[in-house]
Amino acid sequence: MIARALEIDPESPRALALQAFVTGFRDWDFKTAMNLSQQVISIAPGDAEAHHFAAGLVSVSGQFESALAESRIAAPLNPLYPPLLEGIGHRLRHLWRFEEAIEIYEQSIRNGFDRVYGNLYFAYAEQGRIEDAANAIMQHNDPHELDNQDHMFLAYFSGDHEEAARIYKEYFLDRHPPASEGNLTAMHEAAIAGDLDYYFEAIMASAEMKNINLIRSLRSKVTEEVYADPRWVDFINHPNMKPVYNLYLDAGDAPWIPIMNAAIAEREKQD
């Protein structure tokens, strides 16, 4: 259907954007997808959605600074569309510029867009602002009560890793099979609680399935214990992951790469 649309109009922004989406998010061919996305922007430079979509594609390939620039172009083009401002907050979070991200999310809330409470929660927590994080997640949740996952993450971010592990063992050991579509949330829970056996089984299964959310997960903070595990090197060298990981290395924007390299070097020194 997309091919037919492009036959009729090779410069159709909508058809080219759909082709970029399929190429990037289904096939994981991000270089081709980004070229298509830039073609859309060249045809419709004033289209806020085109820049917003380009930001998403560039971001999953690890080029966070470029993604932030695209989001900053998109937001003023349609200031009444809240996800565009939210996108700036996301890009700042991916760069671990949490204070700036918090400012953007708080601005979004003042504008009446309260969907960002979940992201604000993590930005607060990653800054160690646990009380603010708890308040944000209570605003995000319905019926405004913290669930076990929230308690586990808050315990971890506040430095009480034993309590995080206790909650995990009590409530999350019976979870999705590692090869299921729902394994990525459980994967983060496992990493927080130190269950690296489940974590690595889950991310390897997701790499086999080419689950796009796996790539998105690379933009989050994980524990240094993950990087220090020899299975991490097996993961980033997986045939489906290696080309994507190389994009992250080439971009050099991912703030976790120096931490990862240090953890790997330390483990190799001990070996």
Side-chain angles (χ1 to χ4, degrees):
M1 197 170 186
I2 298 174
R4 178 59 180 151
L6 289 172
E7 281 182 16
I8 296 171
D9 181 3
E11 293 194 344
S12 165
R14 177 70 60 179
L16 286 168
L18 288 172
Q19 185 64 57
F21 181 90
V22 171
T23 303
F25 291 96
R26 187 194 68 186
D27 301 334
W28 286 22
D29 182 355
F30 294 106
K31 288 185 177 180
T32 301
M34 286 187 288
N35 288 337
L36 288 166
S37 183
Q38 289 303 311
Q39 189 176 346
V40 175
I41 290 172
S42 67
I43 295 169
D47 189 327
E49 282 292 319
H51 289 283
H52 183 56
F53 178 68
L57 272 175
V58 174
S59 182
V60 294
S61 68
Q63 299 182 43
F64 301 137
E65 291 287 359
S66 296
L68 177 60
E70 289 290 357
S71 288
R72 290 196 188 280
I73 293 171
L77 292 173
N78 189 352
L80 298 180
Y81 185 51
L84 301 184
L85 181 62
E86 181 189 22
I88 296 176
H90 294 346
R91 312 309 166 215
L92 290 166
R93 267 192 69 205
H94 302 158
L95 287 161
W96 293 8
R97 290 161 59 177
F98 298 118
E99 285 296 339
E100 294 172 77
I102 287 168
E103 291 176 9
I104 293 295
Y105 291 142
E106 289 176 340
Q107 181 181 342
S108 295
I109 292 167
R110 289 194 297 271
N111 291 349
F113 188 59
D114 61 5
R115 192 184 75 177
V116 301
Y117 272 115
N119 294 296
L120 179 60
Y121 155 57
F122 277 105
Y124 278 143
E126 286 158 337
Q127 284 293 90
R129 296 168 61 176
I130 304 305
E131 185 176 346
D132 289 333
N135 289 333
I137 202 62
M138 282 190 285
Q139 293 295 321
H140 176 65
N141 281 354
D142 187 18
H144 305 307
E145 293 181 358
L146 298 181
D147 61 19
N148 291 318
Q149 185 187 61
D150 300 325
H151 282 297
M152 186 187 73
F153 277 104
L154 288 171
Y156 176 82
F157 283 121
S158 65
D160 192 348
H161 296 181
E162 288 186 6
E163 175 64 6
R166 183 197 67 77
I167 296 171
Y168 172 82
K169 290 174 183 176
E170 185 170 349
Y171 296 103
F172 298 110
L173 282 178
D174 295 327
R175 63 167 78 78
H176 298 285
S180 73
E181 286 295 327
N183 70 0
L184 289 168
T185 298
M187 174 193 82
H188 288 296
E189 294 163 355
I192 289 295
D195 185 358
L196 298 189
D197 289 340
Y198 180 88
Y199 177 85
F200 283 106
E201 190 176 355
I203 63 173
M204 291 299 281
S206 290
E208 287 289 338
M209 293 187 292
K210 282 192 171 182
N211 186 335
I212 190 62
N213 289 311
L214 174 65
I215 297 176
R216 292 188 176 122
S217 74
L218 291 176
R219 302 176 300 195
S220 302
K221 275 193 169 183
V222 296
T223 65
E224 288 185 43
E225 287 79 7
V226 167
Y227 300 137
D229 193 293
R231 290 171 290 186
W232 177 261
V233 176
D234 294 336
F235 165 65
I236 59 179
N237 285 318
H238 184 283
N240 288 341
M241 280 303 303
K242 187 64 173 175
V244 178
Y245 178 65
N246 285 341
L247 290 176
Y248 276 70
L249 292 181
D250 291 343
D253 291 343
W256 47 263
I257 286 179
I259 298 171
M260 179 200 70
N261 287 340
I264 292 174
E266 182 63 25
R267 187 199 72 233
E268 290 176 345
K269 184 171 67 174
Q270 293 173 357
D271 292 344

